[in-house]
Amino acid sequence: MDPSQVKIPPMKDLTVDNITENVIRINSLCEDARMKYVLERLVTHLHDFVRETRLSSDEWMTGLRFLTEVGQICTDVRQEFILLSDVLGLSILVDSIDHPKPAGSTDGTVLGPFHTHDAEEMRAGDAMSHDPSGEPLLVVCSLRDMHGRPIDNVKIDIWETDSSGHYDVQYPGREGPDGRCIMRSDRDGIFWFKAITPVPYPIPHDGPVGKLLKKLHRHPYRPSHMHFMFEKEGYDHLITALYLRNDPYETSDAVFGVKDSLTVDIGKAGPDIAQKYSVPEGHALLTYDFVLVSDAETSELRAKNSKIALDKLGRKVQIVNGLPVPELD
Amino acid sequence: MDPSQVKIPPMKDLTVDNITENVIRINSLCEDARMKYVLERLVTHLHDFVRETRLSSDEWMTGLRFLTEVGQICTDVRQEFILLSDVLGLSILVDSIDHPKPAGSTDGTVLGPFHTHDAEEMRAGDAMSHDPSGEPLLVVCSLRDMHGRPIDNVKIDIWETDSSGHYDVQYPGREGPDGRCIMRSDRDGIFWFKAITPVPYPIPHDGPVGKLLKKLHRHPYRPSHMHFMFEKEGYDHLITALYLRNDPYETSDAVFGVKDSLTVDIGKAGPDIAQKYSVPEGHALLTYDFVLVSDAETSELRAKNSKIALDKLGRKVQIVNGLPVPELD
């Protein structure tokens, strides 16, 4: 690049006190207002973090080495940066902001690092888990909108661990998906399938994130749960999970995902259910009524929340493409 | 880990408003006061960044993918996270805080990602660059303490690019170091060697950091410079560089490293110098007088600066092992 094309004021002799404004100024050559705003806040917070901690060169290098290790352990089936985001509470925070839920709708929670894109479509009643050691579980759910109307043909991704607490992708010899499936809701908004009762399990803790947790004396466990992801045009993408009540880790989830509204009891199939779904009486049963929010309702609530939160912070913003950027003077 | 050993208050139903305090609380199980403080500030700033930008799930995923790519491109001879830290102005900020310089001493600047640990020890007058296309340069420097006394036997790491603007480690077939050496100052504090005149060059921009710069319409160039690193027990580790005056990128360095006090003119060897160092008259010449600070002086200044800065921010701290931690109530 021709240096005569550099359209920023000269920068030299940058100090603890003027480096931040200069980095923001040079980044502001970018014409994408949203990216500019995100980077301005990122640079400000990273610099303030360094200034407030008086971060040492050794600590800085330790941090960069840690991030390098986090990146290097990632593979197609292991996403250690999601894990890091999860254990720092960032994932649940982003989900809460981007997918706000009006009262009466189903809460969202963390995606986690184990969703894949190769789950098979299954039909109502199919078994998604083939682990013979798992405790068989019948799952019967309904899906409605905020007005109580059934929603049909929603694509539902479901995934859970096997009875030893491992997802299929955690086995080196994995040849295909297991413990996961894609279902579609029927015209009554119902979907049902056979699974196994979820068990608590540690998030992968043989890598840098596990070492960090150990150093912090934090356990790596997640309480028993089953993941669900709902997708249909016109509805806000819902990533959620159901948690088992009274799990030993119910109130100390390593990734902060548990919500009371998503906590369920495992029941027993009575005679009617047993007959209708062809399981023995007394068979373990999980039921849940999910409520999806429309895109329009979510957008409105998201924009309203953004405006309120940023007003409170004294930041004047406008919402462009659904996301805040600073108001022009 | 036995869940009954979890010694934190129950956490559930975490929201935009209470997630931060809960993450800080669970991290506070760690008994290392400094690590606790660093993480508390990190979590606070990361969460505030997300809250202020209302970061979307898509942006979050884009960010995690970017960090993953940064980690994955790193090798023994390429450190993309240092590069990222450099272009965000973090590296120069950390150096300024950790290695404060009293008036009269030599300023520090960014280390950059190209220092290696395999440079050969050379003797006074040796040639550190073997690039036949480089413009030969005689470098004659002195090294003194804050009282003007010469410092002998300092280990000095020196490195620069070849005449095409590439460090040795950027060549795939690299068999050993070139354009780098280790010298020792003599009893008069003098060290001298033969090098080539530095040229401007782009930082590696074929990776994720280069793509980021491009998106921001920032050029990846660094002005012509030569790196120096000084090490001797009792003296604060000095990482610095000398920059050539009137370089086209002098005031827009991609990594914010240029300082006026480190900017030099290339001179010409007069008859005395030419004879003394066995070069032709008129040979390109770079001279500089470096001034090192003792560890004790640096520690004192660092602690004083920390105290002042944190008082200004309203944070009550005590200095433990040279670094601030919150004062106990």
Side-chain angles (χ1 to χ4, degrees):
Chain A
M1 182 184 177
D2 176 359
S4 69
Q5 295 305 305
V6 177
K7 292 191 202 76
I8 48 157
M11 297 183 314
K12 218 163 60 171
D13 288 317
L14 300 177
T15 66
V16 176
D17 297 317
N18 69 14
I19 179 72
T20 308
E21 63 195 87
N22 276 283
V23 176
I24 290 173
R25 190 174 298 137
I26 201 171
N27 285 345
S28 71
L29 298 170
C30 168
E31 74 278 293
D32 177 337
R34 173 67 183 166
M35 187 166 181
K36 229 155 71 170
Y37 179 57
V38 169
L39 267 173
E40 184 226 294
R41 299 319 304 154
L42 182 67
V43 166
T44 302
H45 281 297
L46 286 175
H47 287 202
D48 282 348
F49 161 67
V50 168
R51 275 188 287 256
E52 288 172 12
T53 56
R54 318 301 290 175
L55 200 72
S56 76
S57 304
D58 283 351
E59 291 171 333
W60 168 81
M61 191 51 102
T62 302
L64 296 186
R65 275 204 205 102
F66 174 79
L67 291 173
T68 306
E69 280 173 40
V70 171
Q72 300 227 314
I73 208 172
C74 289
T75 65
D76 285 352
V77 292
R78 177 164 186 165
Q79 226 311 344
E80 193 88 352
F81 268 112
I82 292 188
L83 216 54
L84 179 59
S85 166
D86 289 352
V87 304
L88 293 178
L90 275 178
S91 309
I92 192 75
L93 177 59
V94 170
D95 183 73
S96 305
I97 288 175
D98 201 35
H99 299 284
K101 303 296 178 208
S105 65
T106 300
D107 276 324
T109 186
V110 287
L111 170 68
F114 291 117
H115 176 253
T116 70
H117 292 278
D118 67 351
E120 288 173 39
E121 287 244 7
M122 292 191 182
R123 295 199 302 186
D126 281 354
M128 64 173 277
S129 170
H130 300 93
D131 177 1
S133 312
E135 190 202 337
L137 178 72
L138 171 67
V139 185
V140 182
C141 302
S142 76
L143 197 49
R144 298 182 177 272
D145 68 15
M146 288 290 286
H147 307 285
R149 290 177 299 227
I151 317 177
D152 73 343
N153 201 30
V154 175
K155 182 186 171 199
I156 308 150
D157 254 271
I158 305 156
W159 65 108
E160 65 167 341
T161 69
D162 64 14
S163 61
S164 78
H166 294 89
Y167 290 93
D168 54 355
V169 290
Q170 293 180 277
Y171 291 99
R174 179 185 196 256
E175 284 177 357
D178 192 28
R180 58 182 81 235
C181 71
I182 291 169
M183 313 259 341
R184 301 266 169 184
S185 55
D186 68 18
R187 62 184 181 177
D188 298 319
I190 304 296
F191 61 99
W192 68 281
F193 56 96
K194 285 168 184 153
I196 60 172
T197 301
V199 295
Y201 66 84
I203 58 172
H205 54 113
D206 57 338
V209 171
K211 275 184 221 150
L212 174 66
L213 290 183
K214 200 165 175 187
K215 211 153 189 166
L216 294 171
H217 299 303
R218 283 174 54 176
H219 71 68
Y221 280 85
R222 299 216 61 205
S224 313
H225 64 279
M226 185 181 290
H227 291 276
F228 294 84
M229 186 157 88
F230 299 88
E231 233 179 311
K232 180 171 181 168
E233 210 173 314
Y235 293 90
D236 188 46
H237 195 179
L238 172 63
I239 295 167
T240 192
L242 297 177
Y243 297 90
L244 302 196
R245 199 180 315 282
N246 296 324
D247 185 281
Y249 302 101
E250 184 180 346
T251 61
S252 67
D253 181 3
V255 305
F256 312 103
V258 182
K259 294 182 181 178
D260 214 39
S261 65
L262 300 172
T263 306
V264 295
D265 293 298
I266 299 284
K268 281 186 170 39
D272 292 355
I273 293 279
Q275 202 187 352
K276 185 164 179 191
Y277 295 102
S278 310
V279 294
E281 258 191 70
H283 190 280
L285 172 70
L286 189 163
T287 63
Y288 199 82
D289 300 314
F290 293 94
V291 179
L292 296 193
V293 187
S294 73
D295 270 338
E297 287 165 303
T298 302
S299 296
E300 198 183 318
L301 185 57
R302 190 194 292 120
K304 194 181 126 197
N305 288 351
S306 293
K307 199 77 181 145
I308 293 174
L310 292 168
D311 276 356
K312 231 187 234 174
L313 293 167
R315 306 198 156 268
K316 297 283 165 232
V317 297
Q318 50 181 328
I319 305 296
V320 177
N321 300 326
L323 292 168
V325 298
E327 249 177 23
L328 295 178
D329 293 328
Chain B
M1 182 186 176
D2 176 357
S4 68
Q5 295 303 305
V6 177
K7 292 192 203 74
I8 47 156
M11 297 183 314
K12 218 163 59 172
D13 288 316
L14 300 176
T15 67
V16 176
D17 297 316
N18 69 15
I19 179 72
T20 309
E21 62 194 87
N22 275 284
V23 176
I24 290 173
R25 189 174 299 136
I26 201 171
N27 285 345
S28 71
L29 298 169
C30 168
E31 74 278 291
D32 176 337
R34 174 66 183 166
M35 185 166 182
K36 227 155 71 172
Y37 178 57
V38 169
L39 268 174
E40 184 226 295
R41 299 318 304 153
L42 182 66
V43 166
T44 301
H45 281 297
L46 286 175
H47 286 203
D48 282 348
F49 161 66
V50 168
R51 273 187 289 255
E52 288 172 13
T53 55
R54 317 301 290 176
L55 200 72
S56 75
S57 304
D58 283 351
E59 291 170 334
W60 169 81
M61 190 53 100
T62 302
L64 296 186
R65 276 205 204 102
F66 174 79
L67 291 172
T68 306
E69 279 174 39
V70 171
Q72 300 226 314
I73 208 171
C74 289
T75 64
D76 284 353
V77 293
R78 175 163 188 167
Q79 225 312 341
E80 192 89 352
F81 267 112
I82 293 188
L83 216 55
L84 179 59
S85 166
D86 289 353
V87 304
L88 293 179
L90 274 178
S91 308
I92 192 74
L93 177 60
V94 169
D95 184 74
S96 306
I97 288 175
D98 202 34
H99 299 283
K101 304 295 180 208
S105 66
T106 301
D107 276 323
T109 188
V110 287
L111 169 68
F114 292 117
H115 177 252
T116 69
H117 293 279
D118 68 352
E120 287 172 39
E121 287 246 3
M122 292 192 180
R123 295 201 303 188
D126 281 353
M128 65 173 277
S129 170
H130 301 92
D131 177 1
S133 313
E135 190 202 336
L137 178 72
L138 171 67
V139 185
V140 182
C141 302
S142 76
L143 196 48
R144 298 182 176 273
D145 67 15
M146 289 289 288
H147 308 284
R149 291 175 301 225
I151 316 176
D152 73 343
N153 202 30
V154 175
K155 182 186 171 198
I156 309 150
D157 254 270
I158 305 155
W159 64 109
E160 66 167 340
T161 68
D162 64 15
S163 61
S164 77
H166 294 89
Y167 289 94
D168 55 353
V169 290
Q170 293 180 275
Y171 290 99
R174 180 185 195 256
E175 284 177 356
D178 191 29
R180 59 182 80 234
C181 71
I182 291 169
M183 313 260 341
R184 301 265 169 186
S185 55
D186 68 18
R187 61 186 183 177
D188 298 318
I190 304 295
F191 62 97
W192 67 282
F193 56 96
K194 285 168 185 153
I196 60 173
T197 301
V199 294
Y201 66 84
I203 58 172
H205 53 112
D206 57 337
V209 171
K211 275 183 223 152
L212 174 67
L213 290 183
K214 200 164 177 190
K215 209 151 191 167
L216 293 172
H217 300 302
R218 284 175 55 177
H219 72 66
Y221 279 86
R222 299 216 61 204
S224 312
H225 64 278
M226 186 181 289
H227 292 276
F228 294 84
M229 185 157 88
F230 300 88
E231 232 179 311
K232 180 172 181 168
E233 207 171 316
Y235 293 91
D236 187 45
H237 195 180
L238 172 63
I239 295 168
T240 193
L242 297 177
Y243 297 89
L244 302 195
R245 200 180 315 283
N246 297 326
D247 184 281
Y249 302 100
E250 184 180 347
T251 60
S252 66
D253 182 4
V255 305
F256 313 101
V258 183
K259 294 181 181 177
D260 213 41
S261 65
L262 300 173
T263 305
V264 295
D265 292 298
I266 298 284
K268 282 187 168 37
D272 292 355
I273 293 280
Q275 201 188 353
K276 186 163 178 192
Y277 296 101
S278 310
V279 294
E281 257 191 72
H283 190 279
L285 171 69
L286 189 162
T287 62
Y288 199 82
D289 300 314
F290 293 94
V291 179
L292 297 194
V293 187
S294 72
D295 271 336
E297 287 165 302
T298 302
S299 296
E300 198 182 318
L301 186 57
R302 189 192 293 121
K304 194 181 126 199
N305 288 351
S306 293
K307 199 77 183 147
I308 293 173
L310 292 169
D311 275 356
K312 233 187 234 174
L313 293 168
R315 306 197 156 270
K316 296 284 165 232
V317 296
Q318 51 182 328
I319 305 295
V320 177
N321 301 326
L323 292 167
V325 298
E327 249 177 23
L328 295 178
D329 293 328

